[in-house]
Every structure is written in structure tokens, then in C-alpha cells.
Amino acid sequence: CVLGKKGSPVHISTIENYISDSCFDRLKIDMAPSNGIKVAIIGAGPAGITIAIRLAQKGYKITVFEDREKIGGIMQYGIPDFRLPKTILDRYKKKMRDMGILFRPNIAIGGSVSIDDMFRDGYKSVFIGTGVWRPNTLKIKGETFGNVHFGIHYLRNPEVFDLGESVAVIGAGNAAMDVARTAVRHGASKVTVFSITEEPVASRMEVEYAKVDGVQFEVLKGPVEIVDEGPIMADVEWDEEGKMHHIPGTEKLYPADSTIISISQGPQDRIANRQKELKLNKRGLIQVDENGESTVPGVFAYGDVVTAAKTVVEALRPTKHIAEEM
């Protein structure tokens, strides 16, 4: 905003939030006549919600399969309330129901129900937007201790965790900032984030927000082991090839009541194990072409299950095109 040159700028984001919030319930969605064609959406995350709405507008009969009780995916179970109020997701679900979209909660596709079962029952196309929910591990001693947790599990329901007064967060991405700031809001008096790089990989704004909340940072520190008293970290250095090395003799215990590991996530392999024709890449992510179609004809995918963990906006970017292809 040009006013920022001379004084306080207009909070454009606040204006955008007000407009979208006040218009949402009054929004009239144009619906094409029903064409009687069924489409299955696996996963009610950002990509799945978008595909469901776009195809419902075009007259398709949509059923959304979700292995948890609420819609939203990472928005519901991974982004804290102070960043995204969950009430907007409840309003989305009501709007989607009004559009004729059906929901089947608490059902994990790849278990008792497979994609083949869906095609047998007359679905003409299937979209997979299951996200990435399996936490990456450090592969060091101590990760199974009772006072060690994974960030994606903690953010799902912070109220059930008793972290104590001091918390160590290993990892410095945006999700780690959410973990640290949530821990502060749930009573931790000292929260320290450990980064293997000199500058945390989280966005500069997220880091600044965390600092405002009182989160402390230790940079160029790599985990060696986790003991009952907290993580043992060592100084690290990076060589010219971009490989990290621990500096011998720099190991130090950082006392903490709880340690949270937040170094991103990978995909669950339940669907792929059942659907052998569905090809994955080396990282376990679903392979798709430029139109979002997988190696199984009629099965499309996008979101984190294709790109790995990224932002909500990036999960949505190509979904309108994929809906057209479907």
C-alpha cells in the first residue's frame, strides 16, 4: 500500500478477509443440471474440496471419502486455530452439502474399500488428495521415548499432549513454527527451535512471528541422540557439495521436558499397496502426468500426495485444470 511510504499502510489482508468472510454465506453458486455421472474424491483436504466443488458445479454427483471425522485435511488437523479458524471449514462443509456433495467420514480407502470397488459401483473417475501424514524420522536413538513426539501428531490435537515447561523443536520449517507457537499457547514457558541451517527454512515472517511469541532459536545444530533429559545436538557445517557434517566434540545436551520432531512428512502407502497399477516415485509420491492423471486410467491425484508437503495455495493451484480434465 502506498500509504506505507509515509505512515501506516492499509491492512489489505484484513480487508480481503472481511470481504471473503462476509460474502461466503450469501454466495450463490451456479449449478449445471445433474448429468448422473458419479465421481469419487478420496481425501477432504484443500485439493479434494476444490475438485469436489468444481465438478459438482458441472453437474457431477460427488462423494467425498475421508478417513477422519472432519473435512479440511491439513487445514483442519495441521494448521493451528490462530492461523486458520476451523469455523470456516464447517461453513464450507455446509455449503458443499447444499450443493449435493455427499460425505463418508471415518473411512480409509485401501483397507476394506479399494479404488476397484469404486469403479465397480459406477464411479467414472476418482481423485486422490490424501496429503502426507506419515512423519519423517531422524533415524537416531531415542525417537520412541515417551517424551518425544512428531509435529504432525502434535498439531492434530495439542490438547491431549502434556509437554511440560520446556520444549525442544527439531526442525525449522513453517510447520515447525506452528508447533513451537502452539506449544507456547499451551503453557510451555521455554520453547527452542533447532535449525541445521544458519537461516531457518521457514518463511521470514513465520520466524518473526515465532520470535514475537517468545520462541528461541539455535542455528547450525544437528541432532545426535535424544535422551530422557532432552536432545543432544552438535554443531554442523556444510561442505561445497551441500552435505551436512557434524563437528566432532561439539555435542551438547539441551535439557527439555519434551522433544518434538518436525522435519516434514511423507505419504501413507495404503492405497498404493492395494492398487498395484498405481505407480509411485522414489519418495513414495503418486506419479501423474501434466493433467494430473495417474498411471491408472481415470484416477487423478494432486496436492501434497503428488508434490510432497507444500502450502495450501500450491495444493490448489492446478486443481481447476485437473477438474476440467476429469
Side-chain angles (χ1 to χ4, degrees):
C1 176
V2 294
L3 291 179
K5 300 288 185 181
K6 295 184 177 181
S8 298
V10 173
H11 278 207
I12 296 174
S13 60
T14 304
I15 295 173
E16 291 176 330
N17 182 73
Y18 170 76
I19 292 171
S20 61
D21 185 66
S22 61
C23 289
F24 186 87
D25 293 327
R26 291 176 285 172
L27 186 65
K28 301 298 182 184
I29 300 177
D30 294 329
M31 301 286 292
S34 174
N35 57 25
I37 301 175
K38 288 183 170 66
V39 174
I41 308 294
I42 305 174
I49 288 174
T50 304
I51 293 284
I53 290 174
R54 297 289 292 186
L55 292 181
Q57 284 182 274
K58 295 178 179 295
Y60 291 85
K61 189 170 183 59
I62 308 298
T63 299
V64 178
F65 298 82
E66 169 58 44
D67 69 350
R68 294 186 173 87
E69 66 273 17
K70 295 182 179 181
I71 74 164
I74 195 67
M75 298 185 293
Q76 180 75 249
Y77 296 103
I79 298 178
D81 279 337
F82 61 82
R83 286 185 58 194
L84 177 67
K86 302 303 184 287
T87 52
I88 184 64
L89 298 171
D90 297 333
R91 293 162 68 190
Y92 256 93
K93 186 172 183 179
K94 181 180 183 304
K95 183 74 69 176
M96 294 168 74
R97 283 189 177 279
D98 292 342
M99 296 174 65
I101 297 172
L102 302 176
F103 292 90
R104 289 193 61 173
N106 296 322
I107 181 169
I109 304 303
S112 57
V113 176
S114 70
I115 290 177
D116 286 337
D117 295 331
M118 294 175 171
F119 285 128
R120 177 205 64 196
D121 289 346
Y123 291 92
K124 297 300 182 183
S125 187
V126 175
F127 177 81
I128 303 174
T130 48
V132 287
W133 293 96
R134 188 182 69 241
N136 292 338
T137 64
L138 295 167
K139 295 179 174 58
I140 61 174
K141 189 176 179 181
E143 287 186 276
T144 65
F145 289 167
N147 60 345
V148 180
H149 312 285
F150 292 111
I152 192 67
H153 297 161
Y154 175 65
L155 290 174
R156 187 182 302 171
N157 191 2
E159 288 76 15
V160 305
F161 289 80
D162 184 8
L163 300 181
E165 292 291 322
S166 59
V167 178
V169 179
I170 300 177
N174 286 334
M177 299 305 109
D178 286 344
V179 167
R181 298 178 68 197
T182 301
V184 170
R185 283 161 172 75
H186 284 78
S189 59
K190 181 182 179 182
V191 178
T192 305
V193 168
F194 293 89
S195 172
I196 58 174
T197 55
E198 190 167 3
E199 293 292 334
V201 297
S203 70
R204 181 179 57 83
M205 185 175 295
E206 293 297 331
V207 173
E208 291 303 316
Y209 284 151
K211 289 179 178 179
V212 169
D213 282 346
V215 175
Q216 300 177 27
F217 286 81
E218 292 281 351
V219 299
L220 292 174
K221 305 288 183 183
V224 176
E225 181 183 349
I226 302 173
V227 296
D228 290 332
E229 294 75 23
I232 296 175
M233 311 293 290
D235 295 344
V236 301
E237 58 184 1
W238 295 82
D239 61 25
E240 294 179 354
E241 297 179 354
K243 294 183 179 179
M244 184 192 75
H245 303 278
H246 288 103
I247 300 176
T250 62
E251 295 83 0
K252 177 184 175 182
L253 170 66
Y254 288 83
D257 296 321
S258 296
T259 300
I260 301 180
I261 301 165
S262 184
I263 54 169
S264 195
Q265 302 87 239
Q268 304 282 6
D269 53 10
R270 185 170 50 233
I271 295 176
N273 285 342
R274 185 82 182 268
Q275 201 75 29
K276 298 300 183 183
E277 304 89 353
L278 190 67
K279 288 188 178 180
L280 310 178
N281 64 20
K282 293 180 180 179
R283 300 172 64 187
L285 303 168
I286 297 177
Q287 292 185 25
V288 297
D289 62 18
E290 66 276 8
N291 297 319
E293 189 167 17
S294 74
T295 52
V296 178
V299 176
F300 294 75
Y302 203 74
D304 289 354
V305 75
V306 171
T307 64
K310 294 185 179 295
T311 65
V312 171
V313 172
E314 287 173 298
L316 300 181
R317 180 178 51 80
T319 49
K320 293 180 180 180
H321 171 72
I322 293 173
E324 293 292 338
E325 291 300 318
M326 292 177 68

